[in-house]
Amino acid sequence: MYKSIRIARIVISLIAMGVPAWALVVGYDSVFVRMQILTALLTGVALCLLFWAIVTLLYGRIYCSTVCPLGTLMDCVSTTSRLVRRRHRSYRYTPPARRTRIVFLLLTFVTLLSGSALIPTLLDPYSAYARMVEELLAKPFGHASGAVRFSAASFSVAVLTAVTVVAVAWKNGRTLCNTVCPVGTVLGYGARRSYFHIEIDPDRCIGCGECERVCKAGCIKLPEKIVDTSRCVVCFDCTSACQNSAINYKSGRYRLGMPMMQSLETPSTASLDAPVNHSQSTSEK
């Protein structure tokens, strides 16, 4: 089931990445532009913001895995990297960069409140993607006249963005989504308490590490069998990789199938900490 869901997600995400690029090149307006969070925030479309808030609280960061074109571009790069670098294709758990995320989020909101959209458009994933498409594809090959509308500053920013995105995604997958991206940070706060989320069944998990090795968000801490849902982009790579059906997308939390084992450990631990009565033990002998 999860493999089918993953394939469907990939198809939707490729469409959400390809249609805006095609629209920018030919000069058409795309519906995906109006679905973007920063666009809705700047234009005051409260209905779109409410929609994504509800979706995130229910299903987690679905936006990041299906609608965000820059995130899909990162996935394409990381997938290519895994195919090319077979010896070093595994991902590992990385601690959350909470301070870095907060700094970039505050920077975004402060500049927005000051009336400047420069920093937010630099950090916003869709704006960054649109800038790269506009400067590297639309102006040279599309509807815009490159000789008239060429800007060295915009072109340099687009190239620097493209190089950074490709380089980081090639080595570390979705690291930019979980450190720099303000949209990912905001959605992460909602996804932390999402109704449906990725959960590891401790009774089924055998500790093979396949889920952690394919997690491009680096949010699966296997020894503790914990998934950081604030960084999980709900790509279903981990659920498809698990051969024992130990990791699932569900509501609620798993509980140990043998809870009595926990109560049995308590007396033994207490007995280790309790003082030994040598006289009693001697008399019993």
Side-chain angles (χ1 to χ4, degrees):
M1 179 184 69
Y2 286 120
K3 291 183 179 180
S4 300
I5 295 176
R6 177 173 175 266
I7 292 173
R9 182 202 63 79
I10 292 174
V11 171
I12 295 173
S13 64
L14 290 175
I15 294 173
M17 181 182 70
V19 170
W22 171 81
L24 287 169
V25 171
V26 300
Y28 289 162
D29 185 22
S30 171
V31 67
F32 287 99
V33 177
R34 294 188 290 273
M35 295 177 62
Q36 305 305 318
I37 293 178
L38 182 63
T39 304
L41 183 63
L42 293 176
T43 56
V45 183
L47 184 61
C48 182
L49 296 176
L50 179 62
F51 169 78
W52 283 119
I54 294 174
V55 168
T56 303
L57 289 173
L58 286 176
Y59 304 108
R61 290 172 58 178
I62 296 294
Y63 169 88
C64 300
S65 60
T66 56
V67 180
C68 178
L70 190 64
T72 303
L73 177 62
M74 293 179 188
D75 289 348
C76 293
V77 173
S78 61
T79 300
T80 305
S81 172
R82 286 170 58 81
L83 292 174
V84 173
R85 304 187 309 155
R86 293 185 180 275
R87 294 183 179 179
H88 308 282
R89 66 183 186 277
S90 299
Y91 296 112
R92 288 291 182 268
Y93 172 82
T94 56
R98 294 188 179 92
R99 293 182 179 179
T100 304
R101 299 171 78 178
I102 292 175
V103 167
F104 280 103
L105 181 62
L106 290 177
L107 181 62
T108 301
F109 277 110
V110 168
T111 51
L112 275 176
L113 292 175
S114 66
S116 172
L118 177 61
I119 299 298
T121 53
L122 284 175
L123 299 178
D124 174 61
Y126 180 79
S127 300
Y129 177 78
R131 186 183 308 109
M132 290 188 295
V133 173
E134 187 73 30
E135 296 295 330
L136 303 179
L137 293 178
K139 289 184 179 180
F141 310 108
H143 68 285
S145 175
V148 176
R149 301 186 59 184
F150 177 79
S151 169
S154 299
F155 181 79
S156 300
V157 172
V159 171
L160 180 61
T161 302
V163 171
T164 302
V165 168
V166 171
V168 176
W170 183 269
K171 186 176 181 180
N172 296 318
R174 288 277 192 139
T175 297
L176 289 178
C177 295
N178 290 320
T179 52
V180 175
C181 178
V183 175
T185 300
V186 171
L187 295 179
Y189 286 116
R192 191 188 301 271
R193 300 293 182 183
S194 61
Y195 183 74
F196 292 101
H197 53 271
I198 299 295
E199 186 78 7
I200 300 177
D201 186 348
D203 290 328
R204 284 181 171 270
C205 180
I206 59 175
C208 65
E210 285 300 317
C211 58
E212 185 179 11
R213 279 191 282 270
V214 300
C215 180
K216 50 185 172 282
C219 64
I220 298 179
K221 196 172 185 180
L222 193 59
E224 290 81 2
K225 297 178 175 56
I226 295 174
V227 179
D228 184 356
T229 55
S230 70
R231 292 186 291 156
C232 174
V233 295
V234 199
C235 63
F236 295 103
D237 286 355
C238 57
T239 55
S240 301
C242 182
Q243 301 298 320
N244 207 39
S245 301
I247 185 164
N248 294 284
Y249 183 63
K250 65 184 293 292
S251 61
R253 302 292 179 183
Y254 278 115
R255 293 184 180 181
L256 288 174
M258 300 179 64
M260 290 186 64
M261 294 299 294
Q262 296 178 344
S263 61
L264 289 175
E265 292 176 359
T266 304
S268 61
T269 305
S271 63
L272 290 175
D273 296 332
V276 179
N277 192 332
H278 295 283
S279 59
Q280 181 179 358
S281 61
T282 306
S283 62
E284 288 178 355
K285 291 182 179 179

